[in-house]
Amino acid sequence: MIKDYLIVNKKILPDYYSKVVEARILMESSQCKSVSDAVKKVGISRSTYYKYKDYIFTPSKNYGRKFTLSFKLADHQGILSNILNLLRDHQTSIITIHQDIPINQAAIVIVTLDGQNLTITIDELIVILEALDGVYSVHLIAME
């Protein structure tokens, strides 16, 4: 059951990672009424479940559709415009933009995007964005 939910390279992860996800699914689907029941059924301890439950997730059906990027940019005119043009060129739709005031000649910008029609992978997009003049760093903050 759980094997259908995990993405790429699960071989490198300890088996209890997938068991944490499986326990969560059992509780969400009401097959188990408590954490104790779910962890017993999948074969992990409660402490393992609680240690990892906030860090391991199953992808949604639209996994990768919405994602948030954080940028650290030089305080120069046109840099954000270049980023937005590049995002448009790769078929993303902007959901939100938050830009802080520049401090120490750098501005932090957080952009949430709908990447349903993204023409390249998110990793490839980040590499291209990092190569733009005036972009100090790009980080993937969240993905749904």
Side-chain angles (χ1 to χ4, degrees):
M1 173 176 132
I2 192 62
K3 302 195 178 17
D4 297 334
Y5 291 101
L6 295 180
I7 300 175
V8 301
N9 295 331
K10 63 185 176 208
K11 291 181 239 174
I12 65 169
L13 298 175
D15 65 338
Y16 54 83
Y17 279 21
S18 62
K19 291 180 180 186
V20 169
V21 173
E22 191 170 350
R24 181 183 297 118
I25 291 169
L26 289 172
M27 289 185 299
E28 288 173 354
S29 66
S30 299
Q31 293 178 34
C32 290
K33 300 290 184 208
S34 69
V35 172
S36 294
D37 292 341
V39 298
K40 283 179 189 173
K41 193 166 191 173
V42 299
I44 58 173
S45 68
R46 284 173 41 108
S47 64
T48 298
Y49 176 78
Y50 282 113
K51 182 175 182 179
Y52 297 106
K53 73 177 183 72
D54 294 327
Y55 304 103
I56 303 170
F57 301 97
T58 57
S60 67
K61 291 179 183 176
N62 294 320
Y63 183 73
R65 180 177 174 202
K66 294 179 185 168
F67 58 100
T68 301
L69 298 176
S70 170
F71 298 86
K72 184 175 182 182
L73 308 176
D75 183 20
H76 299 296
Q77 186 175 4
I79 295 172
L80 183 56
S81 178
N82 291 341
I83 290 169
L84 297 177
N85 287 335
L86 191 137
L87 294 171
R88 181 203 62 224
D89 292 347
H90 289 288
Q91 305 300 313
T92 63
S93 297
I94 296 170
I95 299 171
T96 64
I97 299 176
H98 174 80
Q99 180 178 1
D100 286 337
I101 61 169
I103 298 174
N104 296 327
Q105 306 300 316
I108 302 298
V109 176
I110 299 173
V111 180
T112 301
L113 303 158
D114 184 337
Q116 182 176 12
N117 298 317
L118 186 62
T119 59
I120 57 177
T121 68
I122 294 172
D123 288 336
E124 292 169 330
L125 180 64
I126 290 171
V127 168
I128 293 169
L129 289 165
E130 287 178 327
L132 292 175
D133 286 338
V135 176
Y136 295 138
S137 64
V138 181
H139 298 284
L140 179 63
I141 301 297
M143 182 168 40
E144 178 182 88

